[in-house]
Amino acid sequence: MKHLLKLLDLSTEEIIDILNLADQLKYEQKHGITHHHLKGMTLGMIFQKASTRTRVSFETGMYQLGGHALFLSSKELQIGRGEPVQDTARVLSRYLNGIMIRTFEQSEVENLAEYGSIPIINGLTDFCHPCQVLADLQTIREYKNKLDGLKFCYIGDGNNMANSLTVGCLKVGMSVSLACPEGYHPDPQILEFAKVYDNFKLVADPKEAAADADVLYTDVWASMGQEGEAEKRKLAFKGYQINDDVMSVAKPDAMVLHCLPAHREEEITAKVFEQHAADIFDEAENRLHAQKAVMVRLMAPEK
Ligand code: CP
Ligand code: NVA
């Protein structure tokens, strides 16, 4: 594995290897065992969109691994004034050991990887959010002690989260049911990937998708960059909510996850959110551990 651009690029074995290392790093951190695998290394973090979790977990993770992280707001980089990403990639490769980038177009991330000579990590694009899904899978395995054979249900927008969750969950042997309204389905590339799996289903009815689910997941109705569509989307997504009615058809011990930030009473009720706050904030914590595993595998593969 040279980069983490999207989960479509990873084998099942690579995903499981990252989850195993994430569990180990989590154990070590909880027990005060230092693991300076990236001593002397620097990660550049380019942000073209806002972030709480991604920024803080990468920066902290890099510190815990003995390295250093640089926050690079695109507004302050020359990239924000039109310097091509191809040139930025070649320059930053001379200073840094890795780059994490959060941006709009997936092609920008792919271009960085093509022109740069250091590992590139996708910290969210409009197409996907692979780091989040690695943390999600780590959390599901912690709670359920397995991944293979579990039933995963996603309700809401067929967005970057739906795209990455579909690929990640199918690759580790889970069945995936998505409930998305017409006009808001996942990316065609994802549907093409998923269509060979018998255990993949895309439906319109949230309760049909949630039936017997072990894990329920949702995300905001309007993602970053779609703020102007918020009102239109509120109408389109009415009913695409994790609430008591949806929970009543899932397994009694089903867990509920949300990548955050959450909009209570839109995609999830405040009640269900608080009932599952333990799951959701363990999930947020695991961003730290999963991303540390990704950085070690990419930036110090010999460790
Ligand atoms: N879930 C997630 O990526 O959160 P941030 O936008 O706060 O980084
Ligand atoms: N779909 C959301 C995810 C945020 C982590 C967005 O792109 O804004």
Coordinates of all heavy atoms in Angstrom, one line a residue, residues 1-4 6-19 134 137 167-168 170-173 193 197:
M1 N 0.8 -1.2 0.0 CA 0.0 0.0 0.0 C 0.9 1.2 0.0 O 1.7 1.4 0.9 CB -0.9 -0.1 1.3 CG -1.9 1.0 1.3 SD -3.1 0.7 2.7 CE -2.4 1.6 4.0
K2 N 0.7 2.1 -1.0 CA 1.6 3.3 -1.1 C 0.9 4.5 -0.7 O 1.5 5.5 -0.2 CB 2.0 3.5 -2.6 CG 3.2 2.7 -3.0 CD 3.5 2.8 -4.5 CE 4.0 4.2 -4.9 NZ 4.1 4.3 -6.3
H3 N -0.4 4.5 -0.8 CA -1.3 5.7 -0.5 C -2.6 5.2 0.1 O -2.9 4.0 -0.1 CB -1.6 6.5 -1.7 CG -0.5 7.0 -2.5 ND1 0.4 8.0 -2.2 CD2 0.0 6.5 -3.7 CE1 1.3 8.1 -3.1 NE2 1.1 7.3 -4.0
L4 N -3.3 6.1 0.7 CA -4.7 5.8 1.0 C -5.6 6.8 0.3 O -5.8 7.9 0.9 CB -5.0 5.8 2.6 CG -6.5 5.5 2.9 CD1 -7.0 4.2 2.4 CD2 -6.7 5.6 4.4
K6 N -8.6 5.8 -1.6 CA -10.0 5.3 -1.5 C -9.9 3.9 -1.1 O -9.0 3.2 -1.5 CB -10.7 5.6 -2.8 CG -10.0 5.0 -4.1 CD -10.8 5.4 -5.4 CE -10.2 4.8 -6.6 NZ -8.7 5.1 -6.9
L7 N -11.0 3.4 -0.5 CA -11.0 2.0 -0.1 C -11.1 1.0 -1.3 O -10.7 -0.1 -1.1 CB -12.2 1.7 0.9 CG -12.0 2.4 2.3 CD1 -13.2 2.1 3.2 CD2 -10.7 2.0 3.0
L8 N -11.6 1.5 -2.4 CA -11.6 0.6 -3.6 C -10.2 0.1 -3.9 O -10.1 -1.0 -4.5 CB -12.1 1.4 -4.8 CG -13.6 1.7 -4.9 CD1 -13.9 2.7 -6.0 CD2 -14.4 0.4 -5.1
D9 N -9.2 0.8 -3.5 CA -7.8 0.4 -3.9 C -7.2 -0.6 -2.9 O -6.2 -1.2 -3.1 CB -6.8 1.6 -3.8 CG -7.2 2.8 -4.7 OD1 -7.9 2.5 -5.7 OD2 -6.8 3.9 -4.4
L10 N -7.9 -0.9 -1.8 CA -7.3 -1.7 -0.7 C -7.9 -3.1 -0.8 O -9.1 -3.3 -1.1 CB -7.6 -1.2 0.7 CG -6.6 -0.3 1.3 CD1 -6.2 0.9 0.4 CD2 -7.0 0.2 2.7
S11 N -7.1 -4.1 -0.5 CA -7.6 -5.5 -0.5 C -8.2 -5.7 0.9 O -7.9 -5.0 1.9 CB -6.4 -6.5 -0.7 OG -5.5 -6.4 0.4
T12 N -9.0 -6.8 1.1 CA -9.5 -7.1 2.4 C -8.4 -7.3 3.4 O -8.5 -6.9 4.5 CB -10.3 -8.5 2.2 OG1 -11.3 -8.2 1.3 CG2 -10.9 -8.9 3.6
E13 N -7.3 -8.0 2.9 CA -6.2 -8.2 3.9 C -5.6 -6.9 4.3 O -5.2 -6.8 5.5 CB -5.1 -9.1 3.1 CG -5.5 -10.5 2.8 CD -6.6 -10.6 1.7 OE1 -6.6 -9.7 0.8 OE2 -7.4 -11.5 1.8
E14 N -5.4 -6.0 3.4 CA -4.8 -4.7 3.9 C -5.7 -4.0 4.9 O -5.3 -3.3 5.8 CB -4.6 -3.8 2.6 CG -3.4 -4.2 1.8 CD -3.3 -3.5 0.5 OE1 -4.3 -3.2 -0.2 OE2 -2.1 -3.2 0.1
I15 N -7.0 -4.1 4.6 CA -8.0 -3.4 5.6 C -7.9 -4.1 7.0 O -7.7 -3.4 8.0 CB -9.4 -3.5 5.1 CG1 -9.6 -2.6 3.8 CG2 -10.4 -3.0 6.1 CD1 -10.9 -2.8 3.1
I16 N -7.9 -5.4 7.0 CA -7.8 -6.1 8.3 C -6.5 -5.9 9.0 O -6.4 -5.7 10.2 CB -8.1 -7.6 8.1 CG1 -9.4 -7.9 7.5 CG2 -7.8 -8.4 9.4 CD1 -10.6 -7.5 8.4
D17 N -5.4 -5.8 8.2 CA -4.1 -5.5 8.8 C -4.1 -4.1 9.4 O -3.5 -4.0 10.5 CB -3.0 -5.6 7.6 CG -1.7 -5.0 8.1 OD1 -1.1 -5.6 9.0 OD2 -1.2 -4.0 7.6
I18 N -4.7 -3.1 8.8 CA -4.8 -1.8 9.4 C -5.6 -1.9 10.7 O -5.2 -1.3 11.7 CB -5.4 -0.8 8.4 CG1 -4.4 -0.5 7.3 CG2 -5.7 0.6 9.1 CD1 -5.0 0.2 6.1
L19 N -6.7 -2.6 10.7 CA -7.6 -2.7 11.9 C -6.8 -3.4 13.0 O -6.9 -3.0 14.2 CB -8.8 -3.5 11.6 CG -9.8 -2.9 10.5 CD1 -11.0 -3.7 10.4 CD2 -10.1 -1.4 10.7
L134 N -12.4 3.2 8.2 CA -11.5 2.3 8.9 C -11.7 2.4 10.4 O -11.8 1.4 11.1 CB -10.0 2.7 8.6 CG -9.6 2.4 7.1 CD1 -8.2 3.0 6.8 CD2 -9.6 0.9 6.8
L137 N -15.0 0.6 11.1 CA -14.9 -0.9 11.1 C -14.2 -1.3 12.4 O -14.5 -2.4 13.0 CB -14.1 -1.4 9.9 CG -14.8 -1.2 8.5 CD1 -13.9 -1.6 7.4 CD2 -16.1 -1.9 8.5
V167 N -18.2 0.2 0.3 CA -17.0 -0.6 -0.2 C -16.3 -1.3 1.0 O -16.0 -2.5 1.0 CB -16.0 0.4 -0.9 CG1 -14.7 -0.4 -1.2 CG2 -16.6 1.0 -2.1
G168 N -16.1 -0.5 2.1 CA -15.4 -1.1 3.3 C -16.2 -2.2 3.9 O -15.6 -3.3 4.2
L170 N -18.6 -4.2 2.5 CA -18.6 -5.4 1.6 C -17.3 -6.1 1.6 O -17.2 -7.3 1.7 CB -19.0 -5.0 0.2 CG -20.5 -4.6 0.0 CD1 -20.8 -4.0 -1.4 CD2 -21.5 -5.7 0.3
K171 N -16.2 -5.3 1.6 CA -14.9 -6.0 1.5 C -14.5 -6.8 2.7 O -13.8 -7.8 2.6 CB -13.8 -4.9 1.3 CG -13.7 -4.4 -0.1 CD -12.4 -3.7 -0.5 CE -12.4 -3.4 -2.0 NZ -11.1 -3.0 -2.5
V172 N -15.1 -6.5 3.9 CA -14.8 -7.3 5.1 C -15.9 -8.3 5.4 O -15.9 -8.9 6.4 CB -14.6 -6.4 6.3 CG1 -13.3 -5.5 6.1 CG2 -15.8 -5.6 6.7
G173 N -16.8 -8.5 4.4 CA -17.8 -9.6 4.5 C -19.1 -9.3 5.2 O -19.9 -10.2 5.5
F193 N -19.2 -1.4 -8.4 CA -18.4 -2.3 -7.5 C -19.3 -3.2 -6.7 O -19.1 -4.4 -6.6 CB -17.6 -1.4 -6.5 CG -17.1 -2.2 -5.4 CD1 -15.9 -2.9 -5.5 CD2 -17.7 -2.2 -4.1 CE1 -15.4 -3.7 -4.4 CE2 -17.3 -3.0 -3.1 CZ -16.1 -3.7 -3.2
Y197 N -22.0 -8.2 -5.5 CA -22.3 -8.8 -4.2 C -23.7 -9.1 -4.0 O -24.6 -8.2 -4.1 CB -21.8 -7.8 -3.1 CG -20.3 -7.6 -3.0 CD1 -19.6 -6.8 -3.8 CD2 -19.6 -8.3 -2.0 CE1 -18.3 -6.6 -3.7 CE2 -18.2 -8.2 -1.9 CZ -17.6 -7.3 -2.7 OH -16.2 -7.1 -2.6

